[in-house]
Amino acid sequence: MKIAVSGKGGVGKTLLASLLSKTFAESGYSVLAIDADPDANLAATLGFPHPEKITPLSEMSALIQERTGARPGQAGAYFKLNPKVDDLPEKYCLEHNGIRLMVMGRIKNGGSGCYCPENSLLRALATHLLLARDEVIILDMEAGIEHLGRATANAVDKLIVVVEPGRRSIETAYRISKLAQDIGLQNIAVVGNKVRSQQDREFLISNLPEFQFLGFIPFDQAIVDADQANRPLLESSQQIIAEVRNIYKALLSTDQTPTKIS
Amino acid sequence: MKIAVSGKGGVGKTLLASLLSKTFAESGYSVLAIDADPDANLAATLGFPHPEKITPLSEMSALIQERTGARPGQAGAYFKLNPKVDDLPEKYCLEHNGIRLMVMGRIKNGGSGCYCPENSLLRALATHLLLARDEVIILDMEAGIEHLGRATANAVDKLIVVVEPGRRSIETAYRISKLAQDIGLQNIAVVGNKVRSQQDREFLISNLPEFQFLGFIPFDQAIVDADQANRPLLESSQQIIAEVRNIYKALLSTDQTPTKIS
């Protein structure tokens, strides 16, 4: 199963991606989590030790040059648009608590004409992960779908857009939905996060009438307190864990191409 | 005076940029607000009518081609690295309630070797605005400083990094601070936002010991309610307006090169 998580900055994409990774892994699935948001920190949220020491693939200049034939920053150079990437998941993933992780780094606004060796490598890798890997892939993205394209749209079982009860996150959801339609990606759904009241819930439903809701994650001060105290986030709120488990079940029930359990 | 606002997604960059723009404008300054975050909506927060109809400069293909000599998306084409931009602020800004606004759109991770006509135009424009314009410029950026470079670092009177009482926004502040140091930008300060308690305030101070704090903006449910009800945000919280006024005074008191009052 391939799940992509997007949404406005700060809505809780990384928390949802982390908790979904944990839930799939605990259920016996082989899980590869992909950090594709340079301003997120999936490694830290998943509890990996020393997340600050992880180098994103986009900053591995020697690797990029080896695979694409051009150094990052080499203006006007020729480089391979389809570099070899199938060995990268094994070579460059880290593992912790049964979850494998790759930190991709920033892709530069694909599709609008910005060509460079880093983008070439990251897009080829994203395509490989989505099309050729037989495991649960959970992709934590920026407020867009830069890592996806027409070739991979059908491989995404669900694009989850996380929203919070605020107008800006709704606007971003519509923008992402438009980008998804442009590449032919149909399987889009939303998850409400930081929901404090029935009013919050109704605000989200009434402002996203055409969207499928996979669930509503409550706001829980326990997460904020755990974060400030630097305690592990993923165990800090039982009510959030329970709701993510419901979202996990909803994902499985709509999945048409079940991934093998490892 | 030139002010750049950055910070993690969702911390409140756009609200602070908007309220600062309003405060400067009401004090008689000529203000040009720049929306440089494709996932923000400075126009909406400033109360501009029909913000969804504004086309960002980065999407004006004909303009980009006219000024740089190459179409966006034209791979391998030659284009001008220093296109004419000095007439753009007058031609492409909008005005509402005494505040002028330019919507720039996305710049693609400058400095790491991604060259394209859009970036060339946007960077030239950012440089022009910061170096040659005699007014208050307030730049609402993404979680980085992509629009800035060595040539403009000295022109920025203050880079304000907005933080909220959460570990991820602190990490982003350190990342932005590192990027700022790399280009020689010294005038950096932080503003705490969504501060709910003395504990929140102490969390921020203890985790950012080397940073200058310009102020602490309280969390106010009135902003959330105004947003959900689609009422103007900028008038909805008197306590937030008062605190931004203090930040405005702090900015003026540290400003070495006062901007003329129009």
Side-chain angles (χ1 to χ4, degrees), chain A residues 196 219-228 239, chain B residues 196 199-200:
Chain A
R196 290 164 192 267
F219 173 83
D220 188 346
Q221 182 67 29
I223 289 269
V224 179
D225 292 343
D227 178 55
Q228 290 193 5
Q239 54 175 330
Chain B
R196 290 165 191 267
Q199 179 192 316
D200 279 357

Side-chain angles (χ1 to χ4, degrees), chain B residues 59-70:
Chain B
E59 292 174 18
M60 295 183 179
S61 296
L63 174 71
I64 292 163
Q65 181 161 20
E66 176 203 317
R67 296 305 169 93
T68 67

